[in-house]
């Protein structure tokens, strides 16, 4: 039993390393070997050249529990991810622009579960009323932020550390807080 579990763990780890090597080669980017990158179809994923994905990130682009539209994950050229982020393009697209800085411990959520009271939440499809996240070019998302479904963050915006973004963010503004609110223009 112990040997079987050990062999299963090794094979799962080996499969993930092959997947990461394939993605790094295909998209000409760097993905740290500790990243967990899960997708149903590699054609749903686009990673720009020169991107860097740091230690212990968890990235999903899966399409279970959807109503037909396939979720996509698109990351622009030169975007950099710090450590321990959770990017979940399941049920909604996540589009991240060029030359963005995604700090550490950031959560970006493409969709929420539906909440029909007549069904168990776990058994419901993704809620398709408010889905997807779009992040423009040259955006900096500080440490510990959460970006919720339905949000667009325009070019050049800065999201202060620890913020929860529930509404759209205008270009070249700085927002922060829970929920995130306007602080000042980036000048």
């Amino acid at each position: 039993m112990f040997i079987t579990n050990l062999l299963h763990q090794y094979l799962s780890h080996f499969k993930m390393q092959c997947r990461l090597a394939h993605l790094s080669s295909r998209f000409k980017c760097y993905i740290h070997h500790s990243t967990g990158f899960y997708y149903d179809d590699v054609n749903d994923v686009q990673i720009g050249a020169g991107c860097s994905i740091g230690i212990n990130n968890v990235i999903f682009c899966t399409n279970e529990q959807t109503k037909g539209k396939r979720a996509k994950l698109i990351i622009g050229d030169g975007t950099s991810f710090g450590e321990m982020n959770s990017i979940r393009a399941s049920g909604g697209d996540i589009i991240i622009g060029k030359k963005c800085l995604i700090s550490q411990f950031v959560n970006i959520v493409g969709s929420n579960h539906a909440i029909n009271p007549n069904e168990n939440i776990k058994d419901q499809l993704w809620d398709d009323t408010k889905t997807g996240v779009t992040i423009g070019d040259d955006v900096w998302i500080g440490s510990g932020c959460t970006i919720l479904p339905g949000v667009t963050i325009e070019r050049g915006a800065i999201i202060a550390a620890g913020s929860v973004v529930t509404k759209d963010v205008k270009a070249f503004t700085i927002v922060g807080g829970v929920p995130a609110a306007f602080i000042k223009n980036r000048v």
Side-chain angles (χ1 to χ4, degrees), residues 20 30-36 51-59 79-85 102-104:
L20 295 176
Y30 169 78
I31 304 173
H32 192 272
H33 66 84
S34 65
T35 291
C51 283
S52 174
I53 299 174
I55 297 170
N56 290 328
N57 282 271
V58 177
I59 301 171
T79 287
S80 178
F81 291 81
E83 303 80 29
M84 299 182 160
N85 297 299
I102 313 296
S103 296
Q104 60 278 355

Side-chain angles (χ1 to χ4, degrees), residues 126-160:
W126 295 109
D127 181 0
D128 61 0
T129 58
K130 193 174 188 182
T131 64
V133 171
T134 301
I135 299 172
D137 297 341
D138 187 36
V139 168
W140 177 16
I141 299 177
S143 178
C145 289
T146 298
I147 314 299
L148 294 176
V151 167
T152 296
I153 300 172
E154 295 179 5
R155 174 178 170 70
I158 298 173
I159 312 301

Side-chain angles (χ1 to χ4, degrees), residues 92-112:
D93 297 343
I94 294 179
I95 301 167
I96 301 172
K98 296 176 184 175
K99 298 200 174 197
C100 292
L101 293 174
I102 313 296
S103 296
Q104 60 278 355
F105 304 106
V106 171
N107 298 294
I108 303 175
V109 184
S111 184
N112 283 316

Side-chain angles (χ1 to χ4, degrees), residues 21-42:
H22 171 74
L23 289 170
S24 294
S25 174
R26 178 178 180 160
F27 295 112
K28 296 176 181 53
C29 64
Y30 169 78
I31 304 173
H32 192 272
H33 66 84
S34 65
T35 291
F37 207 124
Y38 306 92
Y39 53 84
D40 301 323
D41 184 343
V42 72

